Amino acid sequence: MFQFIVRRLLQLIPVLLGVTILVFSLMHLTPGNPAHIIAGESAPADTIKQIEERLGLNDPIPVQYFNFLKDAIMLDFGNSWRTSLEVSEELWPKFWVTFELAVYSTIFSIFIGLIAGIISAVRQYSFSDVSIMLVALFGLSMPNFWLGLMLMQWFAINLGWVPATGWGTPQQVVLPVITLGTMGAAVVARMTRSSMLDVISQDYIRTARAKGLKESIVIYRHALKNALIPVVTVVGLQFGSLLAGAVLTESVFAINGMGKLVIDRILARDFPVVQAAVLVIAVVFVFVNLLVDISYKFLNKRIDLD
Amino acid sequence: MSEEIILDINNLRTSFFDDDGEIKAVDGVSFKLPKGKTLGVVGESGSGKSITALSILRLIDSKGKIVDGSINFKGKDLTKLSTKQIQHIRGNEISMIFQEPMTSLNPVYTIGQQIRETLKVHEGIGKEKGNKRAVELLQLVGIPSPEARLKQYPHELSGGMRQRVMIAMALACKPDLLIADEPTTALDVTIQAQILELINDLQDNLGMSVIMITHDLGVVAETCDYVAVMYGGKVVEYQDVISLFKNPRHPYTVGLLNSIPRHDIDVEDLEPIRGSVPSPKNMPKGCHFAPRCPFATDLCNAEMPSLDHLGDDSDVRCWIYSDRWDGDPEVNVVDQKTTS
Amino acid sequence: MLTKKQLLEVDHLKQYFPIKGGFLGRTVNHVKAVDDISFQIFEGETLSVVGESGCGKSTTGRAILRLDEPTDGTIEFDGVDLLSLSKRKMRKKRKDLQVIFQDPFASLNPRQTVKKILTEAMAIQNVVPKHQREARAVELLETVGMNAEQLDRYPHEFSGGQRQRIGIARALSVDPKLIICDEAVSALDVSIQAQVLNLLKKLQRQFNLTYLFIAHDLGVVRHISDRIIVMYLGKVVEIADKKSLFDNPQHPYTKALLSAIPTPDPEHKKERIILKGDVPSPIDPPSGCRFHTRCPFATDLCKQEEPQLRNLSMMKEGHQAACHHIEKIYAGQPPNEQSQENEPTLT
């Protein structure tokens, strides 16, 4: 197991290098001179030169990449071109907000999705199955900004149970998490249902029943563990897209997170911040997938990951 | 028969319901199993033999239902028991093993965990004692180095070994009755010989009764004391094994015997049964076998005969043996048998 | 038959499948599915290949059809070296080399009617002029015991036995010289299996067909074969005409295989040799004689040296077995060095 994790970590190195190359080229593929962006279009040539010198823009491209990579490993992304603050200083607080939002939403998706999926599968074609699948279809097809607005209208404005905007207190967390997690919950529910239905028809489930086990043990001990394998993949992919896709939810609920930051800075062509954000998201995504792979090993003894 | 009867199935009917209506998979099956004996239930695909076996432990999936009949086991009617009561019988008093050893064990649990589970649920035995018992059981079914096997997962074992594990699990609580549903069909012939020998030995040593579901008359001849031949959801003949092979009464049984390509004797041309096996969705109106039967008359095509007890301890479902027979009065079914 | 004409000759055929693994997906080992086998098939005969799963019998059939490219050896069919043919020429050659598979449902296109299935085969090989194809399809259906009304139906409308008949009709549609039947009757119920076996025999007489019959059921094999090859772990262990193989088997594996089959006769109790253990993996087969790990008579010689196929005085012409101890076993004095775990159970 330890060996497996070490090997997987080593395999991540080329992936992460690839990501850094892409992120680095972002700056060089976009038109315009960075020095102009920083100093403004009408800045004197001297100033531009100075800035170019300071940023190392005159060095050969490989040298620039190497310096970028060296700094990135030390979590040093330079200074923002707009605010002149250190990028990490600007990014981290907002990253944590978005990370929290994504984690809570994923937990919400798993919890609701699993329960709904299991009920649906165990009572296939029953009233509860049909209703759950209808709701799930609805959850999948609803744009989440619209869902967010509706939830806000009802629970924050009409009923006044929770605040409409912001992030931090438990009350503020509820609506954004539901908004962002609903689609995931729907995906997980549908996945769990089809995976459970598949597992329930397997021979070893009949064996478990023939042993005299209670139905609840048959379902939760024998079926669920096997059914989780495809569900885990979906959850892993979901988490990555939640991290990157929280922008709309953050805008609706005026949450000061990374999504909002990235949008603002893209418009302002503040590349160091954008680069750092993209890199961080990519790294998290890659590590979540590693976790998914490791959990396979625990769930499915047949997969020989070595 | 003066022996003690351990299982008495009477007019069992199991149907499946879907959008097209009712499919009568088991349509009035009756047979008795004397204690300590082996009963073979033999038939081709769609005969209802496996559904009969699953019905005994009430393991039919949600679309199927036992609609009529009784299954008497040690004085209890299994069809009338509550879910809790039948769960207490499963794996404890009646065990079952299945056709596909490759898929019948849960891939995510070790052999030890799966055997201990049965011991825990029925006898409340904990992990340590459970492991000891599991090792004994694996030894009993002839698995080498049982301690090491406890920690292995099913995919690490061969098909034959997995079927042995299934048998060990089935024997964990010393059942009175073992139902083996095509236990060797998926195995190679040398492994089949091992498993059949194992079942026979265990039966002798433990005094179990066995129901052997199979399509292979060779397996029946080698392992069974009594045989019920099934066709189209019904038992068409029931005899002791020697009489069945020597003196088959039902035209279907004779046809089946004539169809087997023998490895032990030369048969110039097989005498197959004409036509094809009917689907349970579309059963002939009268005797289910009539369209394929060389003796069929108008009566056979119009009306289903009942399973009648003949003088010599055989039960046959065929008009030929009734007073109402409207065909050749001299007809002798056994004469049609081509092999000795 | 005075002079038997040889139709197919397989010489030193090897079929290894690479196993990928390791960090970069290198080939780390091989499954030696078929490991140096040779045999001939004569025109008009049925040669059966029997053995348990993993013995290489189906792989042999696939290699002859070049569904897999063999690792080594030659396959000469009707005077032509099949392995040297280009893909295009091989496709043409398949007219003479047809195959019937175990699962008739999987090998018939579900979206084609029977007519389409049959005429398409004729069109690909261009054996029948276009305007005659439909008439030929009807004729074929009748040959296999079906009728013209079934021409416009789809495979799912037929039972397993009827589908296998359609598969046979398709194979016949191009007038092949050799038909490879790969477990062609294994999936059928016994009453239907008998019908199909009788049909295959009838067609053989009618069209002077040659069959390579791959099966695991020795009853079926006895019924249909002229000669039989027994395989174990990629090797031929015994080859003989039907009568010799069943009445006078020489290899301990053949004997065990024959004795293991349940006989449908409850009054006939025979001596049974029950082999211990499982078939070893073909990835790392045992040294020497591959059967030595399960053989009740194995000696040190068997572990070290691979036995060759031999014909001895008590065997008929053409009967060969690959065992070091045929003479001793035949004389009733088998070598007695075997380890305890290989001891057979006699019941």
Side-chain angles (χ1 to χ4, degrees), chain B residues 79-255:
Chain B
T79 63
K80 302 269 185 324
L81 297 185
S82 70
T83 307
K84 218 176 154 187
Q85 286 168 317
I86 192 84
Q87 280 167 355
H88 179 74
I89 289 192
R90 290 177 190 161
N92 189 17
E93 293 177 57
I94 303 178
S95 285
M96 191 158 178
I97 57 174
F98 301 96
Q99 176 173 350
E100 289 292 341
M102 304 311 268
T103 54
S104 289
L105 290 162
N106 195 326
V108 303
Y109 293 106
T110 62
I111 304 304
Q113 284 171 323
Q114 298 191 51
I115 299 178
R116 284 204 309 270
E117 192 177 34
T118 309
L119 291 165
K120 177 115 180 45
V121 67
H122 292 299
E123 298 181 9
I125 289 174
K127 186 169 176 180
E128 211 165 292
K129 205 165 161 232
N131 272 337
K132 240 185 93 201
R133 282 281 297 278
V135 168
E136 286 166 18
L137 284 162
L138 292 179
Q139 251 157 5
L140 183 70
V141 298
I143 292 186
S145 47
E147 284 89 358
R149 302 287 177 185
L150 285 188
K151 295 189 195 73
Q152 288 189 316
Y153 288 90
H155 72 271
E156 299 173 71
L157 305 181
S158 69
M161 282 297 154
R162 283 187 226 184
Q163 196 60 293
R164 285 174 193 265
V165 170
M166 283 296 290
I167 295 172
M169 219 158 75
L171 297 178
C173 301
K174 300 192 180 64
D176 300 303
L177 174 61
L178 175 72
I179 303 173
D181 186 1
E182 303 260 14
T184 58
T185 305
L187 303 175
D188 275 321
V189 59
T190 60
I191 309 299
Q192 161 168 289
Q194 294 173 358
I195 297 291
L196 291 180
E197 187 199 40
L198 174 68
I199 294 176
N200 275 342
D201 286 354
L202 290 170
Q203 182 179 22
D204 290 346
N205 297 337
L206 306 175
M208 274 186 311
S209 314
V210 176
I211 293 182
M212 179 72 74
I213 313 281
T214 181
H215 69 281
D216 185 338
L217 280 162
V219 171
V220 169
E222 302 244 340
T223 59
C224 300
D225 302 301
Y226 298 93
V227 190
V229 180
M230 286 189 68
Y231 188 85
K234 291 181 183 291
V235 172
V236 294
E237 179 161 4
Y238 177 95
Q239 292 209 65
D240 70 85
V241 69
I242 305 271
S243 315
L244 185 99
F245 281 88
K246 206 185 226 168
N247 233 344
R249 298 308 182 93
H250 198 282
Y252 174 64
T253 312
V254 175

Side-chain angles (χ1 to χ4, degrees), chain A residues 146-161:
Chain A
W146 182 82
L147 176 67
L149 289 172
M150 289 302 112
L151 288 171
M152 198 195 279
Q153 177 71 38
W154 269 95
F155 294 100
I157 298 170
N158 291 5
L159 295 167
W161 289 354

Side-chain angles (χ1 to χ4, degrees), chain C residues 13 34 37 39 56-65 214 231:
Chain C
L13 179 69
V34 170
I37 67 166
F39 62 87
K57 56 188 190 297
S58 286
T59 309
T60 305
R62 292 178 60 88
I64 294 169
L65 291 159
I214 297 163
M231 285 185 74

Side-chain angles (χ1 to χ4, degrees), chain B residues 2-134:
Chain B
S2 56
E3 298 131 302
E4 187 187 338
I5 299 295
I6 188 156
L7 184 80
D8 184 356
I9 298 183
N10 217 321
N11 196 31
L12 179 73
R13 289 177 197 279
T14 303
S15 292
F16 289 82
F17 297 89
D18 67 4
D19 300 339
D20 304 335
E22 182 181 1
I23 297 161
K24 297 176 177 174
V26 175
D27 191 15
V29 161
S30 308
F31 57 71
K32 291 182 175 67
L33 171 61
K35 190 167 189 251
K37 300 289 182 190
T38 300
L39 170 73
V41 178
V42 64
E44 296 178 285
S45 49
S47 65
K49 58 188 191 301
S50 282
I51 303 298
T52 304
L54 290 170
S55 299
I56 296 172
L57 278 178
R58 304 214 333 236
L59 288 170
I60 314 141
D61 71 44
S62 55
K63 281 177 216 144
K65 210 181 145 211
I66 297 175
V67 289
D68 196 11
S70 64
I71 301 169
N72 287 303
F73 171 73
K74 297 208 298 184
K76 286 167 286 202
D77 182 356
L78 299 183
T79 63
K80 302 269 185 324
L81 297 185
S82 70
T83 307
K84 218 176 154 187
Q85 286 168 317
I86 192 84
Q87 280 167 355
H88 179 74
I89 289 192
R90 290 177 190 161
N92 189 17
E93 293 177 57
I94 303 178
S95 285
M96 191 158 178
I97 57 174
F98 301 96
Q99 176 173 350
E100 289 292 341
M102 304 311 268
T103 54
S104 289
L105 290 162
N106 195 326
V108 303
Y109 293 106
T110 62
I111 304 304
Q113 284 171 323
Q114 298 191 51
I115 299 178
R116 284 204 309 270
E117 192 177 34
T118 309
L119 291 165
K120 177 115 180 45
V121 67
H122 292 299
E123 298 181 9
I125 289 174
K127 186 169 176 180
E128 211 165 292
K129 205 165 161 232
N131 272 337
K132 240 185 93 201
R133 282 281 297 278

